[in-house]
Amino acid sequence: MTKERASPIRTTVLPALILAVALALPFLVPQYYVQFASKVLILGVLAMALNLVVGQGGLVSLCHAAFFGLAGYVLALLSPKYDPASLLLTLPAAVIAAGAVALVIGALALRTRGVYFIMVTLAFGEMLFYLFHDADFAGGSDGAFINAKPELVIAGVRLLDLDKPLVFYFVVLAVTIGAVGLLTMLVRSPFGHALAAARDNERRARALGFPIFRIRLIAFTLSGALAGLAGYFAAIQFGFVAPQMLGWHQSAVALVMVLIGGLSTVTGPLIGALVLLGLEEVLKATFEQWKLIEGIIVIAIVLLLPNGVRQLWPMAVGEADPKPARDDKVAPSPARAPETGHA
Amino acid sequence: MPETTLRAERLGKRFGGLRAVADVSIEIKRGEIHAVIGPNGAGKSTLINLLSGELIASSGEIKLGEADITTLAPDKRARAGIGRAFQKTTIFPRFTVHENVRLAAQARSRAPLKMFGGAFADPEVQRRTMEAIGKAGLAGREAIVANVLSHGEQRQLEIAMVLATSPSIILLDEPLAGMGQAEARSIIALIASLREHHAVLIVEHDMDAVFELADRLTVMQDGQVIASGLPQDVRLHPAVRAAYLGNHGDAA
């Protein structure tokens, strides 16, 4: 009774349809849009990673771009000047570096609460931004080029050529599917439920015996590592890293994606990334003052759809008129909401 | 003789210049309900917070069985077997009754933070959840979201959560506060039933309930214990009559 509010259409048919479209996309649209789709997926992974701590953990972090950018810089620094780096070496290095920095920042920032947590994460993010901005080892404010994209070579055979937009797209799609799978597993696990419990009532969760600090630190570290995974592929896509990749503006963009897509589901932020980047794409081509219009639309979405654009789906298909469907007594619990979506 | 399960000796807590609790020794035994009474500001809630770990004592020691738990954090004390209900009902308001209790059972399971496998997979957790819901009188209410429960039912839920952690000690801070007659009766019956398998410490202002429930009674004033013993003896203690019951003589 607490569970099944979502119809089978939403739980199986729709994801299968979206996956089919994602797989067929490169064969249907011009290359520009394949690259655009890769960018959406990469930033979607960043937003989904951020939502593990924001949505499930109730911790608003403003330093996730730092993990994202740091992983990009790790790739740039490990890449030989003209030769391709090894994917098998640089990918784990970038993800581990992002996770390790998240562990250190989390260990300090998670001693604070609420708005102080936001400010402390912002401060740490800016410290990393200025480290790369002011120091010469990675090109300073000019950033650094990645001249050759990393390659996957096993036993002398080159398995992936990330220079090809098509190959790159499918690799990023696989990474995205993996991230969705990992995050879904996490939020449904005892760990994910404990994280949500700590979000809803920290005092009670602690009195039950949950080690709150440890739970949040693990979530923050995993989230940072996953943001690093996204940053690694962002750096490959653009062939370039710059301090702006680590700045608070990029963190805020990821947060806006989370808000647009909705906090309560794993894939919501991915949809948020699609909506925000799609909106930018359309508005840029049409209006000179596109940022102003984009801002107004984002505000409207956040005000009118507090659970994100996913709220539109039930309205669109008439699956559940939100009012009669929300019987307050049997509303799905938030811990399970990530699996079933909002009724 | 019942075994001693929780023992505090010469416990003290200072907040700057304020001495909230001084030299308090108390013993809570399995099979007993030990009530702590005293006027507002006597240090009762501070005492509970010291025992549960929300506050760390400035002096003295607390032992759970043979283990010294004086400086242990609240989550570690909970895992060691101390369950508590707060003065203000403290539950997960947006979760269902079942979810609330299941989280409590999970906290004491073998793998409370497992990262794979659904949270509903452990049959032992499920069994303890349903058992605690039944004991607390909430059977049939599992699917209801906690924040729409009545005040009394929320209290029952909090006790169900405490029970699901399989505690040896249960600390209850004013469990009857703000409750109507009928609700209070069912909570009193529930608390009385806890005696069988647990050691219970209860802080309560309702004197009728205290004298109905308590096997032992401790009276605090200005952060100190002024009398402790069997309820009928404590009731006649001159210092107690003067300090506290004197004002509520009729009620008592």
Side-chain angles (χ1 to χ4, degrees):
Chain A
M1 195 145 106
T2 51
K3 261 195 229 178
E4 264 48 64
R5 210 142 266 286
S7 70
I9 294 182
R10 190 156 19 132
T11 52
T12 51
V13 178
L14 190 66
L17 203 66
I18 291 171
L19 186 62
V21 169
L23 287 170
L25 187 80
F27 308 105
L28 302 174
V29 299
Q31 192 178 319
Y32 174 79
Y33 290 104
V34 178
Q35 287 169 329
F36 173 75
S38 299
K39 186 179 161 190
V40 168
L41 292 176
I42 289 169
L43 289 174
V45 170
L46 170 64
M48 287 191 292
L50 175 61
N51 194 36
L52 178 65
V53 289
V54 177
Q56 194 78 359
L59 304 159
V60 178
S61 157
L62 271 181
C63 67
H64 266 56
F67 311 135
F68 178 79
L70 180 75
Y73 267 99
V74 168
L75 173 62
L77 292 171
L78 289 180
S79 293
K81 197 151 176 116
Y82 299 110
D83 296 321
S86 158
L87 185 96
L88 285 179
L89 180 79
T90 51
L91 177 60
V95 171
I96 291 170
V101 171
L103 179 70
V104 173
I105 292 178
L108 298 166
L110 287 168
R111 294 174 194 282
T112 63
R113 296 282 178 277
V115 73
Y116 298 101
F117 177 79
I118 300 174
M119 299 314 288
V120 171
T121 55
L122 176 64
F124 276 117
E126 288 303 277
M127 277 163 63
L128 278 170
F129 169 83
Y130 281 108
L131 174 69
F132 285 97
H133 187 273
D134 294 344
D136 288 335
F137 67 91
S141 60
D142 293 336
F145 283 96
I146 299 159
N147 293 314
K149 308 203 165 180
E151 57 182 17
L152 180 61
V153 179
I154 293 174
V157 183
R158 193 168 174 217
L159 295 175
L160 289 175
D161 183 0
L162 296 178
D163 259 328
K164 291 189 177 136
L166 190 70
V167 174
F168 183 74
Y169 171 77
F170 280 115
V171 169
V172 169
L173 182 62
V175 166
T176 308
I177 292 168
V180 169
L182 178 75
L183 289 167
T184 304
M185 184 186 81
L186 273 178
V187 301
R188 288 183 183 181
S189 71
F191 174 83
H193 283 234
L195 183 62
R199 170 200 67 200
D200 264 36
N201 192 334
E202 183 177 338
R203 199 177 192 205
R204 174 37 77 199
R206 183 174 287 120
L208 291 178
F210 286 117
I212 308 297
F213 179 77
R214 180 144 53 99
I215 290 171
R216 287 180 171 161
L217 185 57
I218 292 170
F220 195 80
T221 305
L222 288 174
S223 168
L226 203 53
L229 181 68
Y232 179 85
F233 284 99
I236 295 178
Q237 178 166 34
F238 302 121
F240 176 71
V241 286
Q244 283 70 23
M245 222 178 143
L246 299 99
W248 71 269
H249 185 259
Q250 181 67 44
S251 291
V253 166
L255 200 55
V256 169
M257 289 170 176
V258 168
L259 291 175
I260 289 179
L263 297 155
S264 61
T265 57
V266 165
T267 51
L270 183 59
I271 295 168
L274 175 65
V275 170
L276 187 68
L277 294 174
L279 198 62
E280 271 184 23
E281 205 59 25
V282 173
L283 293 177
K284 242 186 233 175
T286 324
F287 304 100
E288 201 175 325
Q289 306 294 337
W290 65 276
K291 283 211 164 180
L292 178 68
I293 299 170
E294 183 190 44
I296 292 169
I297 294 175
V298 167
I299 291 170
I301 291 175
V302 172
L303 284 179
L304 299 174
L305 302 169
N307 290 323
V309 290
R310 287 182 75 121
Q311 247 178 308
L312 291 171
W313 165 253
M315 293 183 203
V317 297
E319 181 184 276
D321 182 2
K323 271 182 194 152
R326 193 163 50 205
D327 177 353
D328 275 335
K329 295 194 170 180
V330 291
S333 70
R336 232 176 283 170
E339 307 161 34
T340 57
H342 258 271
Chain B
M1 278 288 282
E3 61 192 294
T4 297
T5 30
L6 182 67
R7 198 174 71 236
E9 270 181 52
R10 302 181 64 85
L11 219 49
K13 181 67 187 175
R14 285 180 166 279
F15 298 105
L18 177 76
R19 196 185 61 174
V21 164
D23 258 351
V24 169
S25 296
I26 194 165
E27 242 180 353
I28 308 158
K29 296 170 182 176
R30 186 184 291 269
E32 272 187 4
I33 294 178
H34 192 139
V36 176
I37 60 171
N40 284 329
K44 307 182 298 292
S45 288
T46 303
L47 175 63
I48 279 208
N49 285 332
L50 290 173
L51 296 176
S52 72
E54 289 232 336
L55 295 173
I56 299 297
S58 319
S59 59
E61 65 169 15
I62 307 168
K63 281 195 161 181
L64 182 63
E66 290 307 305
D68 187 340
I69 60 162
T70 316
T71 56
L72 227 50
D75 55 311
K76 288 188 179 144
R77 287 193 209 196
R79 293 200 292 281
I82 296 180
R84 82 167 286 189
F86 293 87
Q87 191 169 350
K88 184 173 177 294
T89 309
T90 303
I91 53 178
F92 303 115
R94 295 189 295 159
F95 290 59
T96 65
V97 167
H98 183 274
E99 272 287 346
N100 267 277
V101 182
R102 197 198 49 73
L103 276 163
Q106 179 192 317
R108 286 298 300 279
S109 69
R110 269 167 302 164
L113 300 181
K114 205 166 77 158
M115 292 192 172
F116 51 88
F120 302 90
D122 189 338
E124 174 61 17
V125 167
Q126 177 64 11
R127 189 191 63 74
R128 287 228 313 276
T129 302
M130 296 316 288
E131 189 182 86
I133 288 175
K135 272 189 195 164
L138 287 169
R141 310 283 277 161
E142 292 88 351
I144 295 173
V145 176
N147 64 7
V148 302
L149 292 174
S150 71
H151 177 58
E153 284 178 319
Q154 290 190 351
R155 275 291 185 199
Q156 282 170 270
L157 174 58
E158 192 171 12
I159 292 174
M161 292 168 81
V162 172
L163 288 175
T165 63
S166 312
S168 52
I169 311 284
I170 296 178
L171 310 174
L172 302 172
D173 197 352
E174 297 194 30
L176 302 175
M179 217 169 267
Q181 274 289 319
E183 282 184 326
R185 286 312 320 162
S186 70
I187 297 286
I188 289 170
L190 173 57
I191 295 169
S193 75
L194 300 178
R195 183 189 279 123
E196 197 182 340
H197 298 291
H198 310 273
V200 181
L201 177 90
I202 172 174
V203 166
E204 184 50 60
H205 281 296
D206 181 335
M207 287 303 124
D208 291 337
V210 165
F211 281 101
E212 184 177 337
L213 286 168
D215 300 302
R216 298 191 84 78
L217 185 58
T218 291
V219 186
M220 289 181 71
Q221 188 185 23
D222 298 330
Q224 288 180 303
V225 171
I226 56 171
S228 186
L230 297 173
Q232 58 269 33
D233 300 339
V234 171
R235 177 180 219 160
L236 300 171
H237 198 289
V240 174
R241 295 198 75 85
Y244 185 62
L245 294 173
N247 304 334
H248 302 74
D250 297 335

